């Protein structure tokens, strides 16, 4: 590899907020073709902007205004809809624009330790769960989603089509039977930290559904029955970098997101990363808390925020024996937990009172 890696693109993924704190989640793609998630606060971006101006006075236009290439960090107006949440989403969009402008300034800035260090995975980014009481809010898409006239406002949320792994029956938001068939496509409207997600089928019937029964839509199978890059797997992230020493192993960087295809009790798991399938030591893999919420099935996370130790790493040697992770239904959250994490807009979109909706 020619030199240390550097970020090549940054996209705003979600607003993560608690009662006291707002964090902005970004998907970061790197020059080594890996991608990570980063959570940063508004104050951290302000400190980054100040440091960049001090480190690159010419690019900041401090010596001559005409030389300025560093973008300005613009804050969102206080007069926005939906109060604190609305301003947070506005800030997320502004920070995405600011980050992309930074990456367009040239190698002197984009390859600098200041910028690469800012977007590099921090300990908080690698935590397997989000802070208790976190609310993950997805930004609305640029273009309105297609749908019939008068469809619920919740449809303005970012929807991702996932497949149901196995048949599962529950009730919809109106108490009517909701049956999902194996491989049926469901649109995910809202991802709740409990592991129960709000989905809609092709008939626009909405229901709370266990996330472990959902998988990303695969691109298909290749020749000789081998899965293509789009094949499903459980998403984990690497807590430490690892350099392969055998032909059947993978190399990953800290924070890299991988798909765990099979686990075993020998301490080595079969994974897929950057189009390659190989083994990684289970000791460096942990559930990808934020990544799981945003782009894949819920991974062994309990509603109380703890970590399921079912797949805990062992230190025994490699073994070809492995077992596929089965879907598990997360514990149903209490009504108060749902009420505290769903906004009034969502309640109105579902046509129910704030205290009366949620997983049945």
């Amino acid at each position: 590899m020619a030199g240390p890696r550097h970020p090549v693109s940054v996209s705003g993924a979600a607003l993560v907020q608690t009662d006291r704190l707002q964090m902005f989640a970004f998907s970061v793609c790197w020059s080594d073709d890996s991608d990570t998630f980063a959570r940063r606060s508004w104050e951290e971006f302000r400190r980054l902007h100040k440091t960049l101006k001090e480190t690159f006075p010419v690019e900041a236009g401090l010596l001559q205004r005409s030389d300025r290439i560093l973008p300005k960090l613009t804050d969102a107006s206080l007069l926005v809809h939906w109060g604190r949440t609305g301003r947070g989403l506005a800030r997320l969009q502004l920070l995405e624009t600011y980050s992309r402008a930074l990456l367009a300034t040239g190698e002197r800035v984009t390859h600098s330790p200041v910028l690469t260090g800012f977007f590099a995975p921090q300990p908080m980014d690698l935590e397997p769960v989000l802070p208790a009481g976190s609310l993950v809010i997805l930004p609305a898409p640029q273009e309105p989603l297609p749908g019939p006239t008068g469809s619920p406002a919740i449809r303005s949320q970012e929807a991702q089509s996932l497949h149901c792994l196995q048949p599962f029956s529950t009730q919809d938001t109106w108490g009517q039977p909701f049956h999902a068939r194996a491989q049926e496509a469901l649109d995910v409207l809202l991802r709740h930290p409990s592991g129960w997600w709000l989905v809609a089928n092709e008939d626009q019937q909405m229901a709370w559904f266990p996330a472990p029964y959902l998988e990303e839509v695969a691109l298909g199978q290749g020749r000789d029955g081998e899965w293509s890059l789009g094949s499903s797997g459980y998403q984990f992230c690497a807590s430490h970098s690892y350099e392969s020493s055998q032909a059947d192993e993978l190399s990953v960087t800290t924070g890299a997101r991988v798909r765990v295809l099979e686990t075993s009790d020998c301490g080595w798991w079969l994974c897929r990363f950057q189009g390659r399938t190989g083994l990684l030591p289970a000791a460096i893999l942990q559930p990808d808390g934020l990544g799981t919420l945003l782009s894949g099935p819920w991974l062994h996370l309990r509603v109380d925020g703890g970590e399921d130790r079912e797949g805990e790493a062992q230190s025994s040697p490699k073994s070809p024996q492995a077992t596929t992770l089965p879907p598990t239904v997360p514990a149903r959250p209490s009504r108060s937990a749902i009420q505290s994490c769903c906004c009034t807009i969502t309640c109105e979109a579902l046509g129910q009172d704030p205290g009366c909706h949620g997983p049945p």
Side-chain angles (χ1 to χ4, degrees):
M1 183 181 296
R5 68 173 186 168
H6 58 274
V8 295
S9 69
V10 176
S11 300
L15 170 65
V16 182
Q17 69 179 17
T18 62
D19 292 340
R20 298 184 177 181
L21 182 65
Q22 278 189 337
M23 302 293 288
F24 305 93
F26 296 89
S27 177
V28 184
C29 295
W30 297 83
S31 56
D32 61 358
D33 293 329
S34 65
D35 60 287
T36 60
F37 276 114
R39 277 183 287 159
R40 301 292 182 266
S41 67
W42 178 259
E43 288 301 319
E44 286 176 310
F45 268 96
R46 289 186 60 184
R47 289 196 293 269
L48 168 67
H49 186 66
K50 180 180 179 181
T51 302
L52 287 173
K53 291 171 64 177
E54 294 172 349
T55 307
F56 304 102
V58 175
E59 290 81 353
L62 299 182
L63 303 181
Q64 189 171 347
R65 289 188 177 182
S66 60
D67 293 334
R68 177 172 186 148
I69 59 174
L70 288 181
K72 294 182 178 181
L73 181 60
T74 306
D75 199 355
S77 171
L78 292 173
L79 303 177
V80 294
H81 295 294
W82 304 331
R84 177 171 176 257
T85 298
R87 192 183 189 210
L89 289 172
R91 277 181 165 179
L92 176 65
Q93 184 176 5
L94 289 172
L95 291 176
E96 178 185 72
T97 302
Y98 173 77
S99 299
R100 291 180 175 179
L102 282 177
L103 297 183
T105 56
E107 293 185 2
R108 177 172 160 82
V109 176
T110 60
H111 292 203
S112 69
V114 176
L115 196 60
T116 57
F118 179 80
F119 286 112
Q122 304 298 322
M124 178 182 62
D125 303 323
L126 303 177
E127 293 176 357
V129 294
L130 297 176
S134 294
L135 176 62
V136 179
I137 305 171
L138 305 181
Q142 295 296 324
E143 297 294 335
L145 296 172
T149 303
S151 59
I154 191 68
R155 296 295 296 177
S156 65
Q157 297 290 330
E158 189 83 46
Q160 179 184 21
S161 181
L162 302 182
H163 275 180
C164 183
L165 284 168
Q166 298 179 10
F168 190 86
S169 297
T170 182
Q171 293 182 340
D172 66 10
T173 55
W174 297 100
Q176 299 301 314
F178 184 96
H179 305 290
R181 306 181 306 275
Q183 297 305 309
E184 179 180 355
L186 299 174
D187 288 336
V188 178
L189 308 180
L190 183 66
R191 296 167 172 83
H192 187 268
S194 66
W196 285 83
W197 291 355
L198 185 66
V199 302
N201 58 20
E202 60 181 3
D203 297 325
Q204 300 302 307
Q205 187 182 16
M206 293 187 293
W208 292 94
F209 204 82
Y213 275 75
L214 299 173
E215 67 172 351
E216 291 185 7
V217 178
L219 298 180
Q221 284 185 307
R223 300 172 61 180
D224 302 325
E226 293 183 357
W227 285 100
S228 68
L229 182 61
S231 61
S232 64
Y234 290 78
Q235 186 165 291
F236 280 64
C237 72
S239 59
H240 303 283
S241 61
Y242 180 77
E243 188 70 27
S244 63
S245 58
Q246 302 291 336
D248 61 348
E249 296 177 2
L250 297 174
S251 296
V252 295
T253 54
T254 301
R257 296 154 58 203
V258 304
R259 291 285 176 180
V260 175
L261 305 179
E262 292 181 341
T263 64
S264 71
D265 58 2
C266 70
W268 291 83
W269 290 359
L270 182 66
C271 303
R272 191 166 185 82
F273 177 64
Q274 293 184 352
R276 295 185 61 242
T277 300
L279 297 172
L280 283 172
I284 71 166
L285 299 175
Q286 62 185 22
D288 185 2
L290 183 60
T292 299
L293 279 172
L294 298 179
S295 59
W298 188 264
L299 306 179
H300 298 288
L301 300 180
R302 301 194 303 266
V303 67
D304 60 2
E307 179 180 352
D308 189 340
R309 298 293 180 176
E310 180 182 347
E312 188 171 6
Q314 304 293 327
S315 58
S316 53
K318 293 184 187 179
S319 168
Q321 298 179 350
T323 57
T324 301
L325 288 168
T328 55
V329 179
R332 298 175 185 269
S334 64
R335 292 184 182 276
S336 60
I338 290 293
Q339 182 178 359
S340 64
C341 291
C342 289
C343 63
T344 304
I345 296 173
T346 300
C347 300
E348 294 176 350
L350 295 174
Q352 298 174 311
D353 294 332
C356 299
H357 75 281

